[in-house]
Amino acid sequence: MSEKASFRTSGGVRGWFGRQPWYVRAVVILVFTVLAYLLPYAGDVPLIGPQIITEGVDWPSALFNMSYYVLLALGLNVVVGYAGLLDLGYVGFFAVGAYGTALLTSPDSVIYADTGWKWLMAVPAALVLTMIAGVILGWPTLRLRGDYLAIVTLGFAEIIRIVATSTTTLRGDRGFASIPHPPGSWNGEPIFGVTDAIPYFWLGLTVIILVILGVRNLDRSRVGRSWLAIREDEEAAEVMGVRTFKYKLWAFAIGAFIGGLGGVLFAGEQSFINSQTFVLQFSILVLAGVVMGGSGNMAGAILGGVLISYIPDRLRGLSFGDTDLYEYRFAIFGAAIILIMVLRPQGLIPSRRRAMELKDREKEVAPQ
């Protein structure tokens, strides 16, 4: 068999990568990691750079936007891709993380006089609050399945938005201003300021790497195997002794934690949040990214998170004749999703198991 045929039949790039010695894999991962940290300077690359950088929004700011979208996609992938729980209200956890940070650090907060915390001090408290929200949502609702669970999570996100809009404590559309940035200085100047988004992207990328390592270890542990059993057949998993409720609650809590991380980073970079930031459309967009990239696969979730952020930002400032393409961003994005789902229903980078499932189903429905 030729080398090219062997490459095709053994899983493509992933199959080749998995067969390499550990030191080769380490070098490849290190090279891609360094390239990721150098992305803010992609515009300086001749020919290629000007074609990929955004025009209507600062390129480092667009990269930071991608970083928290990727975090949200990774978190939702734990819930939807690994545990098989349809969550339409994931933006609620993103909001809890952001509002938790704002309440503890913003001068506009009613408890600021009692706390007056800096951003770094507020991060653990906001993440714990987000995980508690995940447990509170999951405990009474995870006995539901499928569409019923999706409706409950949808209601959770709407409750968060309505409470944020209606209560004086969360200040509605007025929001919270002067949320402190992450700490750090260089030559007497703050590292995380208002004019340069590159440090924020590097911070977001570092958090993404840590999340990938954590989720990867979970996926390969007893927890990951339990999630897989629940996703494939919850009743059979329960009969075989898997504590389905416990592990589904774990999935919700871990997904909430990762979503809260995105909210904490968002609040620290923007320095302002209000109730209009956390609309339902946000959850649908992240879910579309996970499905489009490849549900159940971290690489697919990362690609989906990048695309749902990059495509709208890339369309800013572009026009076709007299038509501003940004006004049609949702139509263009929707058409792209339809095209991908028709040509590659398992996603752009699917999990191997998911790809095999879809292939088996095609054989079952194929005319004899």
Side-chain angles (χ1 to χ4, degrees), residues 122-143:
V123 169
L127 294 179
V128 169
L129 182 63
T130 310
M131 291 188 73
I132 292 173
V135 172
I136 291 174
L137 172 64
W139 188 269
T141 61
L142 282 180
R143 300 193 186 279

Side-chain angles (χ1 to χ4, degrees), residues 24-65:
V24 174
R25 297 198 300 269
V27 169
V28 172
I29 291 172
L30 181 61
V31 169
F32 276 96
T33 302
V34 171
L35 290 175
Y37 277 97
L38 293 176
L39 276 175
Y41 307 104
D44 298 330
V45 178
L47 299 178
I48 300 175
Q51 307 304 318
I52 63 173
I53 63 171
T54 53
E55 298 180 4
V57 62
D58 180 52
W59 174 236
S61 297
L63 287 172
F64 174 74
N65 293 342

Side-chain angles (χ1 to χ4, degrees), residues 89-317:
Y90 194 68
V91 69
F93 300 128
F94 181 69
V96 171
Y99 271 109
T101 305
L103 282 169
L104 293 171
T105 61
S106 173
D108 295 329
S109 171
V110 294
I111 64 173
Y112 177 77
D114 300 322
T115 58
W117 289 7
K118 300 299 183 184
W119 182 86
L120 193 59
M121 296 171 60
V123 169
L127 294 179
V128 169
L129 182 63
T130 310
M131 291 188 73
I132 292 173
V135 172
I136 291 174
L137 172 64
W139 188 269
T141 61
L142 282 180
R143 300 193 186 279
L144 302 173
R145 300 179 186 177
D147 300 341
Y148 301 101
L149 178 61
I151 292 171
V152 170
T153 57
L154 181 65
F156 166 73
E158 282 299 285
I159 288 171
I160 295 291
R161 185 186 64 81
I162 292 170
V163 169
T165 302
S166 306
T167 58
T168 56
T169 303
L170 298 182
R171 295 178 57 84
D173 292 341
R174 292 178 298 164
F176 293 91
S178 302
I179 300 171
H181 299 295
S185 61
W186 179 261
N187 292 332
E189 296 292 330
I191 296 175
F192 298 93
V194 295
T195 59
D196 187 7
I198 293 177
Y200 293 101
F201 167 67
W202 285 341
L203 175 62
L205 182 57
T206 303
V207 171
I208 288 170
I209 292 171
L210 295 176
V211 167
I212 289 172
L213 293 175
V215 172
R216 178 176 176 273
N217 288 335
L218 276 174
D219 184 38
R220 298 188 174 190
S221 70
R222 177 183 298 178
V223 176
R225 293 191 292 273
S226 299
W227 285 341
L228 176 60
I230 292 168
R231 188 188 72 188
E232 296 301 319
D233 192 327
E234 185 174 342
E235 292 180 355
E238 197 160 3
V239 169
M240 295 302 294
V242 176
R243 299 171 65 181
T244 56
F245 183 80
K246 169 187 172 182
Y247 288 110
K248 287 197 295 184
L249 200 60
W250 271 54
F252 252 78
I254 292 169
F257 177 85
I258 299 172
L261 269 175
V264 167
L265 291 175
F266 177 81
E269 194 268 346
Q270 293 289 321
S271 196
F272 173 81
I273 61 168
N274 67 3
S275 59
Q276 297 304 310
T277 308
F278 310 104
V279 294
L280 177 61
Q281 173 186 309
F282 207 98
S283 288
I284 305 301
L285 195 61
V286 176
L287 179 60
V290 172
V291 174
M292 180 173 62
S295 179
N297 184 23
M298 277 195 293
I302 291 170
L303 178 60
V306 168
L307 290 177
I308 60 177
S309 176
Y310 175 74
I311 291 175
D313 283 345
R314 185 68 181 90
L315 292 175
R316 289 180 185 268

